[in-house]
Every structure is written in structure tokens, then in C-alpha cells.
Amino acid sequence: MAVRAVNTYSLLRPSSPSLSTVPRFFSPHHPLPSALRFHPPSSSHVCHTQTRSIKSLFETVMEELQAKRKLRKKIVSVNASSSNTELLNEEHVEDRLVKRSLQKGLLLEFKKDSDKILLAVAQRPDGKKNWMVSDQNGVTSSIKPQQVTYIVPGISNFDQADITHFVQKAQYNMDPSLLEFAWFELHEKNKSVTVEEMAEIIFGRVEPLESYSAHLLLSKDEIYFTILESKGLRCVYGPRPSEQVEELIRRKVAKEAAEKEFQNFIKLLGSAKSMPSHDKPSKSSWQDDEKIWSRIESLEAYAIDACISDKQRETAGIILKEMGLAKTSSSAVNLLIDIGYFPVHVNLDLLKLRIPTDHLEKITSAAQSLLSDSSDPDEINRKNLTNLKVYAIDVDEADELDDALSATKLQDGRINIWIHVADATRYVQPGSIVDREAMRRGTSVFLPTATYSMFPENLAMGAMSLRQGEVCNAVTVSVVLHDDGSIAECSVFNSVIKPTYMLTYESASELLNLNLEEEVELRILSEAANLRLNWRRQQGAVETATLEARIKVSNPEDPEPSINLYVENQADPAMRLVSEMMILCGEAIATFGSRNNIPLPYRGQPQSDINLSEFSHLPEGPVRSFALVKIMRAAEIDFRKPARHGVLGIPGYVQFTSPIRRYLDLLAHYQIKAFLRGEPPPFTSGNLEGLASGVNEKVRAVRKLSNSSLRYWILEYLRKQPKERRYRALVLKFLKDRIAALLLVEVGFQATAWVSVGSQIGDEVVVKVEQSHPRDDIIYVKEVARG
């Protein structure tokens, strides 16, 4: 039975009741006295008597220990001013430390790994140095001598079955207040202590259990004692200086407070996880407390692989571990979704690519100032074309309308086409704050869930856009076609137009099919498109029309949003009409720029010596287009002169029709507009090349984002469809054996699946979607027999 300390400061022998009555001379909740010494109240004779009894007992214990050993006196000089004072008492270390070697039956403590300490019984030698031991978990293993951290004294043949009970009793003795008491006494007397001596001081006996308990207390202690000297497994401990103890206690208190605060944060996360979705904290509420917000930021950075420091990564890892989650980015994503910080369908790529979604207030204010300025530097040079019937054709959800079309037939039967492009430079000039922001963005971002404009909305969707029934400023490209579809004449000028119709592709196709007499201009545009297509084919153009999915998500923040999917057939008459007119405009601007020696971003694309006859066996449309696209080379840009665009089948091409959406189009406008004013172009070819390099990098990032977002929502759409739904699919290519690349016709989406023997490229098969996991970008498609 261990000795217990009771009353104020007296030590009693084995019959004492409880360790919990050991007095705490100081603790994190009771600061140390200034001198860290006990001063009994002068008015209490009892306290004086008890203090003397403690000192007498301590001296008696030390005398008894010294009498059992052969001691030699040694005067140890103590440097009181040093924070690392060595207290070796008055005897040699060798005389105070009992050397123990491994023998069968001994109870020992050893390191299982870097974090785990176990008790075990030595069984037998294993080789020259190692020992086989049976630990407290019943596992027998071989350990090296350096793994042993303590040999419990006074035991010769310990039963392995009793280890668990021994550990439990040792844990019962783990009262840190015992070390506080011992530190006070040993610090007073400038004494060092061995493990066994500590057991005698705090428990009143040196039995195996008490010795091991003292070892545990000392080995885990980080405040009161430090190792002064060690010989193998044998150590001499000394009390730390009072100033150091005081500082360590302060650190411990701070650490415990921080740990408590952190655990409160973990409880907060757990509480938010358990709440219904409509009751979860708002995203902004996590920012109210600085510490909470810092941790949430660490989790968010970890979720999108964007940690800016090791500390941020470590913080996120600790949070995930405390929440019982794996240290992975997907775990962080799911946790942030579960607490309501992320919506269920959070766009991770949007966060990872750091695509800006809002315009700063200074940008929107600058844009508003531009709108307040009614001056138009090109007003006197604008041609009034408000008499023309003007068609603007785009997707139904388009907010930025930057091009429109007009057409008529000349007396000689040739077709005159006008491509009207929104005059963005009416409001923004090179180098302005609004221009620099547009350049930083590079392009507008069109996602199924939202549009993030290159310009502030009051410009992009307001004054700059072409609006039905309103007088609008434009840059008009006028083209007269030869009968074969080639360009006979072209000119570029500032204009004023009044758009007549804002049509979707679907409504434009319907009007074309109706062939209404009053919409003769639309029929002329369609005729011109057919002439152009035939002419480009004769010039070697490569057709790549296919089926493409378009998705609109109206409420993306909801766990179950509404998803509308449309499949665009690029061979549709209205889409064909618009694409041909855009190509025509690009060719006309390239011709105009070349003729007037204007530096522009001229796009070219080699054909890679494509022999179209080699693909004649493939069905026209998506299957043939898929095969052709795979062998095409990337487009190239020359900023001095046009380069042939072999894929389009034209001598030169400049993107010009989307200055509100694409910054390179805006650069072309700056150059053309300066020429029309009789001014030198604002940018040299070298300037354009440097600007285009940075802009194209942004464009590539946005293209990646757009593709991944579209794919995510297609997978989510497919996930929500009935499991029994069947889809028609075209075999595009065989990847390996019978594994084929397929195009799901009703969805405009490519997937892979095993197809039955006999299926050929271009064949139609029927498939079903067995699984679709948008967050993991996984889809499983299986061919089914036709019913």
C-alpha cells in the first residue's frame, strides 16, 4: 500500500486513505508565491509543527536510503544563477544508481514505436542482444536493448497475466500534485533524486508498483524535474529552477486554454454537422471569430490544395483527425459541406483556379463614371443604319449581346451582309482602370450556374450590349459576296443600329423553317451562310460540327437544384448561320487589317495535311468530326500579318465579334478603331504578343473551368435520372478490345463502355448509366440489349 499525504503537509505510512488528499502547493489555478517557498501562517502553531514534521520525515527517509548504500561524500558546487543548475547531491551517481540487466521474468517498459509505450515480461534471449518479451496486450515480440526504457525493480518472476492490473494500479497513483510536493521539498534543499528515492519521498516505500509509478510521473513530467545525468536506463533527476517552473506553468496554462478553445471549435463543427440543412450557420457567420475563421480558412485551403504554409496544412490535418476523418482534400470538402460552409455542389475548380467572381467597388464605380460621360469621340463618323432589319441570335440565357446581323440583295443579285459588333471602346480605353481589370480577367466566364463578366455588369449587360428596340453604337463590318461565296468587297466603319429581333437559336431555326415572306432578310442570311459553307469546303475547310450539351442550373445553392439540359446540334440551320457569319467577319477583319498594315491577333491553323478522303467511310456529323478533331494541330497567332486558317478554309482570321466577352477581341477593336480615327494603333505587334501571352493563360484556365463545370453538372443530371432510362449512343472509337468511346446522343456527352461483338465505329448502341458520381468525376455506362 502506498503512503498517502493527508491534512496540510504531513506524510503518513501505509494506512493512509487516499492520494487525492495530497496538498497542492501550487497549480495552474493557484499561482506560485513570489519566492516559490512555503510560508506557514505565524498564528498557527499546528502548521509550524506539520511543516517541521515534513522536513524531519524527509531527512529520515534520506538517511535511511544513504544507510543502505556505501556512500562517498562529494561536495558539489551549485551555481544558483544558472537556469540549468546540476544537483548531484553529495555522492557519486554510480553509488546512487542500481544497475539492472535483462533477465527472464523481469517486468520492463519498452517503446513499441515512436508514440507507444508498453509493459512486458522478459521471456528469453533472442540472439546475442535482443530479448523476446510478452507485453500487456498478450503479444510476444523481439525487442532491442535500446527499446527498453525502464526495468521495474524488486521483481524476479512476474506473471504476464498480471500486467494489466499492475498498469491500472500505477495509473491510480498518477497524481501530479505529488511531484509538486516533491519539487517543493527538493528545491528547498538543493537535492537531486533517483526514481527509487522519489518513490520513497512521495509514496513512503520503494516497492515495484511505487517505483514504476514514480518513474511514470518523472518521465511524463515537463514542469518540475529534469534529468541531470543518466547511465543507460538509470537517471538522476533534479528540480528545475523556480523561474523556469513558473514559466513552464504559464505555458501549460496557455496550452490548456488553447486546447480547451480548440475542443470547443471541434464541438461547434460537430453541432453544425448535426443540424438540418436549413438551420446550419451561414457562411459569413464563420468569419465572426478570428480564430474560428483562421481554422475554416485552413480547411478550405486544404480542400482545394492551396495551403500557403505548413502551419495551415498542419491545422487542417489536426481538425480532420479530431473529427475522425482521413487527412485528405475530399474529407475537408465533405466536412465544409456538412457544416454548411460549402454548398453541396460547390465548384472546387472555381476556387482552385482563383477565378474572380465579383468586381471590386473601385471598378464598378469607375464603370459608372464611364456611363455618366455622354461624349462619343466617333459620333460624327457613325453611319446611321437604324433603317436595317437587325437580327441578334444567341442562346436564350445570354446576358452579353455583342453581335447582330443584317442582309440584303444588291441590284446585281449579290448579297450584302452587315455584321454589327457592339462598340465596347465607346466606353473603355486602353490603359484605363476598367481596361486593366478586363485584361486581368481575359474573358467572361460562362458556367451552368452563373456568368462572371469580364466587365462590370452595368457595362457588360447594359450600355455596351446590343439591346432590342434601342439605338446602339456598333462597329459594322460590311461584306459583299461573289456568287460563289467568296468576299468581293469589305469595309469597316462606326455605326448606329437599332436591333429588331433578339432570337434564340431555336426560334431562329423555327423562323427559317416557316420561310415567312416578311422575314426575307433572315432567308438571305441563310442563303449567304450556305454559299460561304460551300466555298470554304472548296478551300479545304474541315467540318467539325457535333452535338454539344448546354446546361442551366437555376438554384445551384440548393442540395437538389433544378437542372435544365439542352443538346445543341452545331449543324442546326440557325447555329450554322451564325457560325458562318462570325467566320466571315473574322476573314473580313483579317483582310482589312492586312490591307491597311494594322497589327492584329491574326489566327492561323495548319491542316496537318489532312486527307479528307481517308475519313469518307465514317458517317458525317459527330462521328467524323470526332475523328478529325483528334488529328488537328493547335491554332497559332501572328501579330503582323494574316496566316492561312486551313481548318476554316480561309486566308486569314481575326476574332472580332465578342469584345465584351473576350479581351483579345477588344484588342482588335482598339487597333481598328484607332485606324478609323486616323490615329496610329495603340499597340505594336510586339505589344500585342506580350499582352496575348498573359491573356491566353487566363483563357486556358477559364476553358478548363468551363469544361469541368459542364461535366460535373452533366454527371449530376445523369445521377438524378431514373435508373431504367436508356440512351442512344454512337460508337466514336475503339480504345481497347471492345471498350469504345461513345457519344450519348440525348445528352451530348462522351463516355466509355464495353460494346458487343459486331459493333463498328459509327454504329448506334443502347446504353444505361449504372452509376454517376459528379464529385469524383466517375461514370459507369453499360450496353443493354435493344428491347
Side-chain angles (χ1 to χ4, degrees):
M1 175 68 73
V3 173
R4 311 298 187 200
V6 295
N7 296 330
T8 309
Y9 300 114
S10 62
L11 291 176
L12 301 180
R13 287 298 176 181
S15 61
S16 57
S18 171
L19 280 173
S20 62
T21 56
V22 175
R24 297 181 66 86
F25 286 85
F26 55 87
S27 71
H29 307 291
H30 300 84
L32 287 165
S34 59
L36 289 171
R37 296 169 60 92
F38 177 69
H39 299 284
S42 57
S43 61
S44 174
H45 175 71
V46 175
C47 289
H48 280 293
T49 303
Q50 290 172 336
T51 303
R52 284 196 298 272
S53 69
I54 291 172
K55 294 180 179 178
S56 299
L57 177 59
F58 178 81
E59 291 168 355
T60 301
V61 169
M62 294 306 295
E63 287 174 0
E64 290 176 355
L65 288 172
Q66 290 170 4
K68 294 178 181 178
R69 304 184 183 102
K70 292 181 180 180
L71 305 177
R72 286 187 301 167
K73 299 294 184 179
K74 178 182 178 183
I75 299 175
V76 180
S77 61
V78 178
N79 184 359
S81 62
S82 170
S83 62
N84 295 314
T85 303
E86 293 189 355
L87 305 172
L88 298 182
N89 295 347
E90 297 177 347
E91 49 198 289
H92 287 297
V93 173
E94 291 83 352
D95 293 332
R96 301 175 60 199
L97 296 173
V98 178
K99 184 175 181 179
R100 302 184 185 92
S101 58
L102 280 174
Q103 297 177 16
K104 181 180 179 180
L106 290 184
L107 181 63
L108 57 89
E109 181 189 77
F110 73 98
K111 276 189 177 182
K112 178 74 172 177
D113 50 45
S114 58
D115 298 323
K116 201 168 187 179
I117 300 291
L118 296 175
L119 276 181
V121 176
Q123 300 295 338
R124 65 181 183 278
D126 182 31
K128 293 184 178 180
K129 296 183 178 180
N130 295 354
W131 270 78
M132 297 299 296
V133 299
S134 296
D135 63 36
Q136 62 199 69
N137 298 321
V139 177
T140 300
S141 56
S142 176
I143 65 171
K144 299 176 182 178
Q146 54 266 38
Q147 289 180 256
V148 180
T149 53
Y150 187 69
I151 297 177
V152 180
I155 291 177
S156 58
N157 192 19
F158 199 86
D159 188 345
Q160 184 268 338
D162 294 333
I163 297 180
T164 300
H165 185 56
F166 185 87
V167 170
Q168 290 173 348
K169 290 197 291 184
Q171 292 297 327
Y172 171 75
N173 286 340
M174 295 297 290
D175 186 348
S177 63
L178 298 172
L179 284 185
E180 296 178 27
F181 163 72
W183 178 88
F184 179 82
E185 290 295 338
L186 293 169
H187 183 267
E188 281 271 303
K189 295 183 173 296
N190 247 5
K191 295 286 186 177
S192 62
V193 66
T194 64
V195 171
E196 288 75 21
E197 290 168 351
M198 178 63 78
E200 182 71 24
I201 292 171
I202 61 179
F203 298 119
R205 56 194 294 179
V206 187
E207 297 298 327
L209 177 63
E210 284 71 23
S211 295
Y212 184 60
S213 298
H215 161 72
L216 287 179
L217 284 168
L218 286 169
S219 62
K220 295 178 182 299
D221 174 49
E222 296 179 349
I223 294 178
Y224 303 107
F225 292 89
T226 185
I227 295 176
L228 297 180
E229 189 164 338
S230 63
K231 297 284 185 179
L233 302 178
R234 304 164 295 161
C235 297
V236 172
Y237 294 85
R240 297 180 189 269
S242 57
E243 295 82 2
Q244 189 177 11
V245 170
E246 199 169 38
E247 175 60 26
L248 290 172
I249 289 176
R250 275 196 295 267
R251 292 181 186 178
K252 181 181 179 182
V253 170
K255 182 179 179 181
E256 289 174 348
E259 178 60 25
K260 182 178 180 181
E261 189 271 332
F262 178 74
Q263 289 303 321
N264 287 337
F265 170 74
I266 296 299
K267 290 178 181 178
L268 181 64
L269 294 181
S271 175
K273 279 187 66 175
S274 64
M275 292 179 180
S277 57
H278 58 274
D279 290 335
K280 292 185 186 295
S282 64
K283 184 173 182 177
S284 60
S285 68
W286 294 98
Q287 302 178 19
D288 293 341
D289 183 279
E290 185 177 344
K291 288 184 178 179
I292 290 176
W293 176 233
S294 175
R295 293 184 180 121
I296 293 293
E297 279 188 313
S298 295
L299 274 176
E300 182 174 0
Y302 197 86
I304 61 174
D305 300 321
C307 291
I308 59 176
S309 65
D310 290 340
K311 179 175 175 56
Q312 201 172 50
R313 190 175 294 104
E314 180 184 359
T315 297
I318 293 172
I319 294 171
L320 293 172
K321 183 179 179 181
E322 284 293 316
M323 294 297 294
L325 302 171
K327 293 182 182 179
T328 62
S329 57
S330 60
S331 293
V333 171
N334 292 332
L335 176 58
L336 291 170
I337 289 174
D338 289 343
I339 67 173
Y341 179 81
F342 278 168
V344 172
H345 298 287
V346 58
N347 192 325
L348 296 177
D349 285 334
L350 184 64
L351 300 175
K352 289 179 181 179
L353 295 171
R354 300 184 181 278
I355 303 295
T357 57
D358 297 313
H359 286 272
L360 298 176
E361 185 178 350
K362 65 179 181 180
I363 304 298
T364 55
S365 297
Q368 191 59 44
S369 298
L370 293 174
L371 293 173
S372 302
D373 184 2
S374 60
S375 63
D376 176 10
D378 302 305
E379 184 175 7
I380 60 173
N381 295 320
R382 290 192 186 278
K383 289 186 179 182
N384 189 336
L385 301 180
T386 54
N387 61 310
L388 292 176
K389 184 177 284 188
V390 177
Y391 299 90
I393 306 173
D394 210 327
V395 293
D396 57 358
E397 64 268 17
D399 297 312
E400 304 169 350
L401 298 171
D402 46 16
D403 56 71
L405 304 168
S406 300
T408 189
K409 281 199 174 182
L410 303 177
Q411 290 182 350
D412 60 6
R414 294 183 302 172
I415 298 176
N416 191 177
I417 301 164
W418 292 271
I419 301 104
H420 312 290
V421 183
D423 189 358
T425 64
R426 155 70 174 79
Y427 297 97
V428 61
Q429 296 299 316
S432 65
I433 184 173
V434 176
D435 169 74
R436 292 197 304 272
E437 176 64 12
M439 179 175 63
R440 186 176 75 86
R441 292 169 177 257
T443 181
S444 292
V445 182
F446 300 97
L447 304 178
T449 53
T451 296
Y452 305 114
S453 299
M454 186 172 73
F455 289 111
E457 288 187 9
N458 51 359
L459 280 177
M461 302 174 189
M464 284 182 176
S465 283
L466 303 179
R467 301 172 302 283
Q468 181 175 336
E470 298 184 26
V471 175
C472 304
N473 295 326
V475 178
T476 294
V477 178
S478 175
V479 180
V480 177
L481 296 180
H482 284 303
D483 292 341
D484 64 354
S486 62
I487 295 177
E489 304 171 16
C490 69
S491 60
V492 184
F493 49 85
N494 297 302
S495 64
V496 176
I497 64 170
K498 190 175 183 180
T500 312
Y501 295 118
M502 296 295 181
L503 302 175
T504 64
Y505 288 114
E506 292 80 6
S507 59
S509 292
E510 185 176 349
L511 281 176
L512 286 171
N513 290 331
L514 290 173
N515 198 23
L516 299 175
E517 189 65 33
E518 56 268 31
E519 301 302 334
V520 61
E521 294 87 353
L522 189 61
R523 292 207 316 272
I524 294 172
L525 282 169
S526 180
E527 182 184 344
N530 289 331
L531 285 174
R532 286 290 299 170
L533 176 59
N534 291 331
W535 179 80
R536 290 194 306 106
R537 284 172 174 169
Q538 293 171 8
Q539 307 305 309
V542 180
E543 288 192 68
T544 57
T546 186
L547 303 178
E548 287 192 356
R550 180 162 53 88
I551 280 185
K552 184 69 175 178
V553 182
S554 55
N555 48 344
E557 297 293 318
D558 290 354
E560 293 293 333
S562 174
I563 305 173
N564 296 308
L565 182 142
Y566 313 89
V567 178
E568 294 178 344
N569 185 346
Q570 294 176 332
D572 175 82
M575 296 199 75
R576 177 80 76 184
L577 184 157
V578 172
S579 64
E580 286 298 333
M581 294 304 102
M582 298 305 102
I583 294 171
L584 174 61
C585 181
E587 182 186 348
I589 290 295
T591 301
F592 185 83
S594 176
R595 184 188 304 158
N596 296 288
N597 199 29
I598 304 173
L600 292 169
Y602 297 101
R603 288 181 176 270
Q605 188 174 25
Q607 289 176 288
S608 305
D609 299 323
I610 297 174
N611 185 353
L612 295 179
S613 64
E614 295 178 2
F615 299 88
S616 59
H617 65 287
L618 299 176
E620 287 189 17
V623 176
R624 186 181 295 181
S625 295
F626 176 84
L628 289 168
V629 167
K630 290 296 183 182
I631 63 172
M632 287 182 182
R633 290 168 56 184
E636 300 171 353
I637 302 180
D638 191 307
F639 299 92
R640 292 168 293 279
K641 63 182 185 301
R644 176 171 173 76
H645 202 299
V647 173
L648 295 179
I650 55 179
Y653 180 66
V654 175
Q655 287 186 330
F656 192 77
T657 57
S658 298
I660 304 176
R661 309 180 188 191
R662 297 189 299 238
Y663 191 76
L664 284 188
D665 291 43
L666 183 66
L667 286 178
H669 275 246
Y670 285 147
Q671 300 291 86
I672 295 293
K673 291 277 290 187
F675 177 82
L676 295 178
R677 295 191 192 108
E679 300 171 357
F683 303 106
T684 66
S685 58
N687 296 148
L688 289 177
E689 186 171 4
L691 291 170
S693 176
V695 169
N696 284 332
E697 184 177 344
K698 304 291 177 56
V699 171
R700 283 190 291 271
V702 170
R703 187 179 296 120
K704 176 182 177 181
L705 169 64
S706 299
N707 291 339
S708 65
S709 300
L710 179 63
R711 181 176 175 85
Y712 176 91
W713 285 107
I714 291 176
L715 291 179
E716 177 63 12
Y717 172 84
L718 292 172
R719 185 187 70 83
K720 295 176 68 174
Q721 298 307 300
K723 294 296 183 183
E724 64 273 12
R725 180 174 174 181
R726 302 296 186 258
Y727 303 87
R728 292 185 300 118
L730 294 174
V731 178
L732 300 174
K733 180 183 179 180
F734 284 99
L735 304 176
K736 183 180 180 181
D737 297 328
R738 304 307 298 173
I739 303 297
L742 304 176
L743 175 65
L744 277 60
V745 176
E746 294 96 340
V747 188
F749 178 75
Q750 291 183 21
T752 60
W754 184 93
V755 296
S756 56
V757 176
S759 297
Q760 303 294 323
I761 294 176
D763 287 353
E764 184 177 295
V765 297
V766 178
V767 299
K768 67 176 181 178
V769 176
E770 292 199 312
Q771 294 184 49
S772 180
H773 305 286
R775 182 64 64 203
D776 299 321
D777 192 24
I778 293 173
I779 183 170
Y780 296 108
V781 176
K782 182 179 180 180
E783 182 186 15
V784 295
R786 292 180 182 270

